[in-house]
């Protein structure tokens, strides 16, 4: 039996990415799969239906794509009602936002599909190439700097011209995970003077190795080493106070601030207050990459650019989607790397062993029930 893969067209507002590219379609076919792409799925990521067809996929409407499909691929989780015709045992592989869309998880269970949440991929070496959070955050960090540059009424690099000198922009990055590191590198490439901070002390060296200045709370202990899976946790009130004081004195001298701080499963930590924004020079720009998780910046609004005290606060939603072609290419490879790693030649399809660490982490539903520990616990 040939395994059938359906690539869904994204229906969420503003979502331009797609979960497979002609490259990954070819690779799936190479493994023996049959691939059907929903018509128009790649339109906003610069991939035509013809390009999918040339790669060997069938192009069909959703109903036909769902029929008999064993595996559904998506970027975001589809509305449960929109996949009603899917086979009961089919896998749904996508970024399912399990905490934010908890009700949907129940509905997927109700449909009988096996929902696999790619953002729950464990941060282990074996799974690095399957990590959608990393691949998409990297592009977000890059785009955040370009978005800041576009809103900023001044230049980034120092320029010595016949009409006088333009001074370099001072850029401060808060949160030095995958997005923050790429933001530092991008701002440096544009010629800015860059500083950065994080609660994890391991990032200090990374900041310096990229040619930026670390700004760290020294009198209260932060997180030593990498913590659980490299993620941050909520900090003590003492730390938060010390951090606020440090940021207050630093931020008034910055032109651009990019915040990326997240804590898995919780609201994003508040890092910048309205009073601190008021201390910045008019014309400064703040980009809040955590705006959809509650925001690092007071007054940031998801999907909007607001101005407070002459400072622009940018809260774009779904930043990876703003680079839809590259974001799709990387996301699609993450999905392929995951499914091909579990490909069982005899079965002619991927098989997820129950006892595998990856299975336990990403499987949300099976046989009509919600089975994921993080959702049940
Ligand atoms: P993230 O998106 O969860 O958070 C972004 C950053 O914000 C983190 O560096 C975090 O420490 C920081 N942060 C949280 N609270 C803060 C606060 N109050 N003030 C300042 N900063 C705060 O993180 P991420 O980008 O997903 O990466 C986290 C770590 O995981 C990194 O070290 C990364 O290299 C590592 N990682 C490992 C793997 C792997 O081994 N497979 C894959 C990806 C990332």
């Amino acid at each position: 039996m040939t395994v059938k893969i359906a690539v869904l067209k994204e229906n969420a507002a503003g979502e331009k990415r797609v979960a497979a590219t002609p490259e990954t379609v070819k690779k799936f076919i190479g493994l023996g799969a049959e691939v059907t792409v929903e018509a128009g799925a790649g339109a906003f990521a610069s991939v035509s239906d013809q390009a999918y067809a040339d790669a060997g996929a069938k192009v069909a409407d959703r109903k036909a794509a769902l029929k008999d499909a064993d595996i559904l691929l998506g970027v975001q989780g589809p509305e449960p009602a929109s996949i009603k015709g899917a086979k009961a045992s089919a896998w749904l592989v996508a970024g399912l936002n399990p905490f934010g869309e908890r009700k949907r998880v129940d509905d997927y269970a109700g449909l009988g599909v096996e929902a696999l949440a790619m953002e729950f991929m464990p941060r282990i070496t074996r799974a690095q190439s399957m990590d959608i959070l990393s691949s998409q955050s990297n592009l977000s960090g890059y785009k955040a700097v370009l978005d800041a540059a576009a809103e900023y009424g001044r230049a980034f690099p120092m320029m010595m011209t016949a009409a006088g000198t333009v001074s370099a922009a001072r850029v401060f990055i808060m949160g030095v995970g995958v997005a923050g590191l790429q933001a530092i590198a991008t701002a440096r490439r544009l010629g800015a003077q860059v500083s950065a901070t994080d609660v994890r002390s391991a990032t200090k060296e990374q900041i310096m190795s990229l040619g930026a200045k670390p700004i760290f709370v020294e009198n209260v202990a932060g997180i030593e080493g990498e913590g659980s899976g490299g993620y941050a946790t909520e900090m003590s009130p003492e730390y938060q106070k010390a951090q606020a004081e440090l940021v207050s004195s630093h931020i008034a001298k910055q032109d651009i601030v990019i915040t990326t701080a997240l804590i898995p499963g919780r609201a994003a930590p508040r890092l910048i207050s309205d009073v601190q924004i008021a201390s910045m020079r008019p014309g400064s720009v703040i980009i809040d990459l955590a705006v959809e998780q509650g925001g690092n910046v007071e007054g940031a609004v998801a999907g909007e650019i607001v101005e407070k005290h002459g400072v622009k606060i940018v809260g774009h939603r779904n930043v990876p989607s703003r680079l839809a072609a590259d974001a799709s290419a990387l996301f699609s490879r993450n999905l392929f790397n995951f499914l091909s790693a579990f490909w069982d030649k005899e079965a002619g399809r991927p098989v997820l062993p129950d006892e595998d660490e990856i299975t336990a982490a990403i499987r949300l539903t099976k046989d009509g029930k919600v089975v994921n520990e993080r959702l049940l616990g």
Side-chain angles (χ1 to χ4, degrees):
M1 270 256 299
T2 310
V3 69
K4 295 195 171 71
I5 298 177
V7 180
L8 304 178
K9 177 175 183 310
E10 300 299 312
N11 287 329
E15 183 54 80
K16 296 180 172 174
R17 292 169 294 173
V18 60
T21 56
E23 174 194 305
T24 63
V25 164
K26 258 189 220 155
K27 287 180 170 171
F28 281 124
I29 293 171
L31 289 173
E34 203 178 288
V35 182
T36 305
V37 177
E38 188 176 344
F44 296 113
S46 315
V47 188
S48 65
D49 287 349
Q50 188 59 47
Y52 286 117
D54 292 345
K58 282 187 200 159
V59 176
D61 63 14
R62 168 144 319 182
K63 200 167 163 226
L66 284 179
K67 192 177 175 303
D68 300 327
D70 301 291
I71 300 173
L72 316 178
L73 301 183
V75 175
Q76 298 190 35
E79 277 291 344
S82 76
I83 56 164
K84 249 189 184 134
K87 273 209 295 205
S89 56
W91 291 6
L92 171 62
V93 187
L96 298 174
N97 188 13
F99 294 118
E101 297 284 358
R102 182 63 186 79
K103 164 79 173 58
R104 277 192 187 173
V105 180
D106 289 333
D107 293 344
Y108 294 143
L111 288 172
V113 300
E114 183 167 338
L116 301 169
M118 289 296 288
E119 61 268 78
F120 276 9
M121 192 60 73
R123 292 206 145 165
I124 52 177
T125 310
R126 176 164 66 101
Q128 253 171 3
S129 66
M130 315 170 191
D131 184 354
I132 60 165
L133 292 181
S134 291
S135 73
Q136 306 300 293
S137 293
N138 177 48
L139 292 170
S140 297
Y142 163 79
K143 189 66 173 168
V145 176
L146 298 193
D147 283 337
E151 295 300 334
Y152 188 48
R154 297 184 161 92
F156 265 41
M158 188 183 82
M159 291 184 220
M160 310 243 253
T161 79
T165 301
V166 169
S167 50
R170 277 159 303 191
V171 176
F172 181 38
I173 313 287
M174 303 185 74
V176 186
V178 178
L181 284 172
Q182 185 57 256
I184 294 173
T186 305
R188 289 271 302 151
R189 267 181 238 131
L190 285 179
Q193 247 181 55
V194 185
S195 58
T197 191
D198 200 291
V199 292
R200 294 181 299 113
S201 54
T203 58
K204 207 170 187 171
E205 251 175 60
Q206 298 169 343
I207 292 167
M208 290 192 286
S209 73
L210 288 171
K213 186 177 172 204
I215 304 289
F216 275 68
V217 172
E218 302 288 359
N219 50 341
V220 184
I223 300 169
E224 286 302 322
E226 283 289 89
S228 111
Y231 286 116
T233 48
E234 208 149 41
M235 305 307 287
S236 67
E238 292 77 32
Y239 185 96
Q240 287 181 25
K241 187 165 171 281
Q243 189 184 37
E245 282 164 12
L246 178 76
V247 169
S248 288
S249 61
H250 188 65
I251 216 168
K253 295 172 253 154
Q254 301 306 308
D255 303 305
I256 309 281
V257 180
I258 295 174
T259 70
T260 78
L262 292 177
I263 301 167
R266 322 199 62 151
R270 178 53 49 86
L271 301 180
I272 300 183
S273 67
D274 188 65
V275 174
Q276 290 168 328
I277 296 168
S279 76
M280 295 180 78
R281 180 160 79 135
S284 300
V285 179
I286 304 177
I287 308 277
D288 188 347
L289 279 186
V291 70
E292 287 176 293
Q293 282 82 25
N296 294 142
V297 182
E298 186 173 353
V301 180
E304 288 182 28
I305 299 174
V306 294
E307 200 165 321
K308 291 270 168 74
H309 313 291
V311 176
K312 282 185 187 166
I313 309 169
V314 179
H316 287 308
R317 287 181 191 276
N318 196 347
V319 177
S321 183
R322 296 167 63 74
L323 290 164
D326 273 337
S328 300
L330 299 186
F331 193 103
S332 299
R333 284 191 205 127
N334 291 143
L335 297 191
F336 176 80
N337 292 336
F338 160 56
L339 292 169
S340 63
F342 286 95
W343 210 269
D344 180 317
K345 277 208 183 110
E346 260 167 49
R349 58 162 296 154
V351 173
L352 284 178
D354 288 337
E355 64 285 357
D356 193 285
E357 186 181 355
I358 292 179
T359 311
I362 69 171
R363 189 187 266 159
L364 303 185
T365 64
K366 188 167 169 65
D367 302 329
K369 289 196 204 72
V370 177
V371 295
N372 193 282
E373 255 180 37
R374 285 171 77 182
L375 294 183
L376 296 173

